[in-house]
Amino acid sequence: MIKRYIQVNSINIMFNFIRKFYYWGISYDWVLAFLKNDMGSILAGDAIEYQLVKNPYGDRWFADPFILDVTENEYILLVEELLYTSKYARIAQLTIDKSTLEIKDSKPILELDSHLSFPAILRKGNNIYIYPESSQTGTLTLYQYDVKENSCERKQILCNQPLTDAVLFEKEGQEIILSTQLPHPNNQQLGIYMRHQNTGLFELHQEVIFKDNVARNAGTIISYNDKYFKTSQDCNVRYGGGLVVFEMLFDEGKWKFEEKVRIKSPSKRYDLGIHTLNCHKGVYVVDLLGYRHPFVGHILLFLKRTYFYFFRNRKHNI
């Protein structure tokens, strides 16, 4: 009886160790990068040239970069910040030195008891607003951001749906929101929402079905050469695996999207994905995805794929 207990306990310890090692090995690491390309270069399909941002913090990563300001010596970003010990991500302001591209400071500006990411920026005169992704709360909420106080004040609910990576876009005085939503945020279906005249809330107005899983937004709408472009996440292999750029067209009362270019991560170190593209004042920023422990991560990924390949073939043959 004791021998049997020791054997079972030893097996459990071994499997727990393997499980912890596996999740340690495949844990992700996001990094920010500034592009040398402009929109014309991107649309032409030129090779992506980038400069990585140096992250001096060993206990967290940053993703979903939106450019708040560009000064003579600094880049100011709003980002998703996740501490490795935290359950939920929060929104933070980053100050990055232009000459060294090193993060000088990180200040949290919004934190909830649920996940926050994708701090999309809305500028109204001298006022700055953000409407971060907060689909776990079931709503999309607008906050006014006080840059001096580094704080956010909740202003209003924009939509009573669990929208994911929503983008608010204004054309000829009309506001629309483009977004996917739970429970299938990474598929082919994009919702276009307009304000209801009575409630003031955004409600579904049009659905667009893409040919594959590229509906989810990858940043705010980019205006270039009097045209508008939507950036999407290529989620066909994995969430945030790449970018797709679409030209937005309005025809016969409906929005249509014409694909222009697909972009994969240009980095060998961060080769798993690129999932946000934003620009402001002529500066372009992205985030890149890799393993925190790339050598171990790629070995484990190879073993996993090999196992499932032979397992499925064997099951099929049987």
Side-chain angles (χ1 to χ4, degrees):
M1 187 69 178
I2 296 176
K3 184 177 180 180
R4 175 64 176 169
Y5 172 79
I6 293 174
Q7 288 176 338
V8 171
N9 195 47
S10 298
I11 292 173
N12 288 336
I13 291 173
M14 180 183 68
F15 275 111
N16 283 334
F17 172 78
I18 293 174
R19 180 173 57 85
K20 289 180 179 179
F21 177 78
Y22 174 77
Y23 285 110
W24 172 84
I26 65 165
S27 58
Y28 287 154
D29 184 28
W30 290 95
V31 66
L32 308 179
F34 290 101
L35 299 188
K36 296 181 180 180
N37 309 69
D38 61 11
M39 198 61 183
S41 173
I42 291 170
L43 291 171
D46 295 341
I48 299 299
E49 298 184 59
Y50 65 96
Q51 294 176 294
L52 292 179
V53 173
K54 301 179 182 69
N55 179 3
Y57 301 96
D59 61 347
R60 70 195 72 178
W61 54 247
F62 304 100
D64 289 355
F66 288 76
I67 302 174
L68 182 64
D69 199 6
V70 179
T71 69
E72 183 179 352
N73 299 311
E74 297 172 337
Y75 298 113
I76 313 297
L77 307 182
L78 297 184
V79 299
E80 171 191 3
E81 177 186 65
L82 181 68
L83 277 69
Y84 298 138
T85 56
S86 297
K87 185 177 181 181
Y88 301 116
R90 62 191 182 187
I91 305 303
Q93 183 201 90
L94 296 187
T95 302
I96 300 171
D97 186 277
K98 265 189 175 182
S99 60
T100 65
L101 291 186
E102 183 171 2
I103 298 172
K104 297 167 57 178
D105 190 26
S106 173
K107 298 177 181 177
I109 68 168
L110 184 62
E111 196 166 3
L112 302 177
D113 290 329
S114 59
H115 177 78
L116 285 170
S117 60
F118 204 77
I121 298 171
L122 177 65
R123 293 174 171 87
K124 291 280 189 180
N126 294 325
N127 295 322
I128 300 291
Y129 300 88
I130 65 170
Y131 50 102
E133 199 270 296
S134 57
S135 57
Q136 290 182 2
T137 68
T139 62
L140 179 67
T141 302
L142 183 73
Y143 297 85
Q144 185 167 358
Y145 176 45
D146 188 323
V147 179
K148 292 182 179 179
E149 297 295 328
N150 207 53
S151 62
C152 291
E153 178 186 358
R154 178 173 168 161
K155 301 302 289 186
Q156 67 178 105
I157 292 177
L158 296 176
C159 184
N160 276 323
Q161 296 294 325
L163 303 187
T164 47
D165 294 349
V167 168
L168 197 157
F169 170 64
E170 185 173 333
K171 185 177 185 295
E172 297 177 356
Q174 186 179 62
E175 291 181 317
I176 63 171
I177 285 178
L178 285 67
S179 186
T180 55
Q181 67 168 281
L182 299 179
H184 305 294
N186 305 326
N187 63 6
Q188 302 166 266
Q189 185 173 315
L190 177 73
I192 298 179
Y193 300 78
M194 297 180 63
R195 281 192 190 272
H196 191 282
Q197 60 181 0
N198 294 327
T199 65
L201 296 174
F202 284 84
E203 298 184 358
L204 185 63
H205 174 73
Q206 179 190 345
E207 288 183 340
V208 178
I209 306 299
F210 292 87
K211 66 180 181 181
D212 54 356
N213 298 326
V214 294
R216 187 165 184 164
N217 292 317
T220 51
I221 304 303
I222 297 175
S223 175
Y224 177 76
N225 281 354
D226 297 322
K227 297 179 180 180
Y228 296 99
F229 296 90
K230 164 183 157 55
T231 57
S232 289
Q233 298 184 41
D234 183 346
C235 296
N236 288 293
V237 175
R238 64 169 59 87
Y239 163 72
L243 296 175
V244 187
V245 181
F246 294 92
E247 182 180 347
M248 297 175 61
L249 304 170
F250 192 69
D251 184 35
E252 297 181 350
K254 298 288 185 180
W255 284 100
K256 300 178 181 179
F257 300 85
E258 183 179 293
E259 183 175 325
K260 293 300 181 181
V261 65
R262 296 201 176 204
I263 303 168
K264 295 297 183 183
S265 172
S267 170
K268 293 182 178 180
R269 166 66 177 84
Y270 296 94
D271 59 346
L272 297 180
I274 173 173
H275 102 320
T276 308
L277 168 63
N278 279 300
C279 71
H280 183 58
K281 293 186 175 181
V283 176
Y284 289 77
V285 66
V286 298
D287 52 9
L288 305 174
L289 175 64
Y291 289 119
R292 288 177 63 191
H293 315 286
F295 180 74
V296 176
H298 282 292
I299 288 178
L300 291 174
L301 179 63
F302 171 78
L303 292 175
K304 180 181 178 180
R305 287 177 173 174
T306 302
Y307 169 78
F308 279 108
Y309 174 79
F310 284 107
F311 176 77
R312 287 172 180 170
N313 282 352
R314 181 183 177 187
K315 186 176 181 180
H316 178 75
N317 292 332
I318 292 173

